[in-house]
Amino acid sequence: MMVPAALLLLGALTAVAAPRLLARADWPDREPVVALWVWQCVVAAVLLCCALSMTLSAAAAWQAVRGHLFAPAPRAVVEAYALGAAGPWAAALAVTLALGGLWSAAMLVREVVRARARWRHRHAELLVRAPALPGEEPGRGRLVVLEGDRADAWWLPGSRPRLVVTTAALRRLKGRQLDAVLAHEQGHARARHDWLLHCSGALAGGFPQVPVFAAFRDEMHRLVELAADDMASRRFGRLTTALALVELNEDRGVFGPGPAPQAHLPQRVNRLLTPPDRLTAARRLRLTAAAALVPAVPVLVTFVPGLRALG
C-alpha cells in the first residue's frame, strides 16, 4: 500500500517545487504561451496524483472497487499492490480525496455561474445603453460604442461576440490603437482564456490554504494578458499596443508611485517597449515536451508495481 502514499508525496513535492522553479526562471515573461502550458501541466500532475491515490486507496478499502478496478489483471499484479494489507486509513484517505474532488467541481460550477451572471448583467446593460435602432439588426457588427466619461473597453463573448468601447476611449485611442485593443481582446477569446481563469479561480477559491493553486490563479491572470499583448503586437506593433494600454489606463492611477489594483500594467507596457529576446524554437519545443511529461510521472508511478509483476 505504498503507492497511494508515494503519489501523495509526489504531488506535494510537485506543488512545492514547481512554482518556485517557475518563479526563478526568466523565460515565462518571454514566452507566456509556453508558461501557460507548463503551469497547466504542473497543476494537472498534482490533481492526477490525488486522483490516482484516491482510486488505489478506495481499491484497498473496498473489495467491490478492487474487483472492478483489477478485474482484467492477473493475480500477480493484484498481489504486487498489496491492497489487502491496507489499514483503516485507506478508506479515510479515499473519502477525503473524493470530497476534495467534489468540492473542486462545485467551485468550478460556482465560477462558471458567476461568470454567466456577469455576462447577463453586461448584456442587459448593453441593451439599455445601446438599444438597436428601428430597422437595425440586433447584435450586428463587432464594435459597440457606449457614451461614457471613463476610457474603457472590454470583450463581450457570446454567439455574436463584440468589442464594447466608450466614447472616452475613442477620444483617446488614435490611429490603429483601437485595432490593437480589438486584437488583444480577440486573442483572449480565441485562446479561451476565460476557462483558464475559471479553473484557476475555482482551485484557489476552493483550497485557499494550498499555495500552488493561489500561484496558479495569479499567474494565469498575468500570463493571459501577456499572451494577448503579444497577439496584438504581432499584428499592429509593440509601440501601438503599448500606447493603447497607456491611453486606456492613464486615468486609473496605475502608472503612479503608489500601489494600484492593476499594478502589473506598467510592467506590461515596459515589456512591450523593451521586448525581451524570445527563446529559440528548439528550446520552446523542449520546454513544451518536458512539461507534457510531468503529468505522465504519476501514471508511471502508479503502474510500476504492476509492470514489475508482469516483467
Side-chain angles (χ1 to χ4, degrees):
M1 259 313 285
M2 293 298 295
V3 179
L7 287 169
L8 287 180
L9 179 60
L10 176 63
L13 290 175
T14 304
V16 171
R20 294 182 179 181
L21 292 175
L22 288 171
R24 294 175 183 174
D26 62 347
W27 60 265
D29 285 359
R30 300 158 65 184
E31 298 293 344
V33 175
V34 178
L36 286 169
W37 169 250
V38 173
W39 267 103
Q40 292 175 73
C41 290
V42 167
V43 173
V46 174
L47 297 177
L48 195 56
C49 286
C50 296
L52 292 173
S53 180
M54 177 198 69
T55 304
L56 291 178
S57 298
W62 297 291
Q63 179 63 39
V65 178
R66 190 186 319 167
H68 286 290
L69 186 63
F70 289 92
R75 183 179 181 84
V77 172
V78 181
E79 293 176 350
Y81 286 91
L83 298 174
W89 59 269
L93 179 60
V95 171
T96 301
L97 292 175
L99 290 176
L102 291 175
W103 181 248
S104 300
M107 291 298 101
L108 179 58
V109 171
R110 187 187 69 171
E111 286 289 326
V112 174
V113 169
R114 287 180 174 179
R116 293 284 297 177
R118 289 193 297 268
W119 178 85
R120 285 194 295 267
H121 175 73
R122 282 193 162 183
H123 188 71
E125 181 184 12
L126 184 63
L127 291 177
V128 173
R129 298 180 61 185
L133 298 176
E136 182 182 5
E137 181 183 350
R140 186 177 182 180
R142 293 188 301 172
L143 181 64
V144 178
V145 180
L146 297 180
E147 186 71 29
D149 297 329
R150 181 178 179 180
D152 202 359
W154 66 89
W155 184 258
L156 187 66
S159 58
R160 294 177 176 177
R162 284 165 287 174
L163 176 67
V164 183
V165 296
T166 62
T167 52
L170 289 180
R171 287 192 294 267
R172 284 181 169 273
L173 297 174
K174 304 174 181 64
R176 306 189 75 185
Q177 293 174 8
L178 180 60
D179 294 328
V181 172
L182 177 61
H184 176 100
E185 298 298 336
Q186 284 179 332
H188 284 312
R190 289 172 180 170
R192 300 310 302 267
H193 287 161
D194 54 335
W195 279 105
L196 283 179
L197 300 180
H198 292 334
C199 293
S200 61
L203 289 172
F207 304 95
Q209 296 85 7
V210 182
V212 66
F213 294 150
F216 179 49
R217 176 196 57 198
D218 296 340
E219 284 298 288
M220 289 302 98
H221 280 275
R222 189 178 69 89
L223 290 172
V224 297
E225 295 299 336
L226 298 185
D229 288 343
D230 288 346
M231 294 180 190
S233 64
R234 280 195 289 269
R235 292 182 59 187
F236 301 102
R238 290 185 171 271
L239 180 59
T240 300
T241 306
L243 291 175
L245 288 176
V246 172
E247 294 294 344
L248 281 178
N249 298 280
E250 188 175 14
D251 293 339
R252 301 181 185 181
V254 298
F255 297 101
Q262 295 177 312
H264 62 283
L265 272 167
Q267 287 78 17
R268 289 170 56 192
V269 172
N270 291 334
R271 176 179 175 272
L272 288 168
L273 295 178
T274 56
D277 294 332
R278 295 196 63 187
L279 302 180
T280 62
R283 189 177 178 189
R284 293 199 300 272
L285 181 61
R286 288 196 299 268
L287 285 171
T288 303
L293 293 176
V294 174
V297 175
V299 179
L300 181 61
V301 171
T302 302
F303 283 104
V304 163
L307 293 175
R308 285 181 175 177
L310 293 175

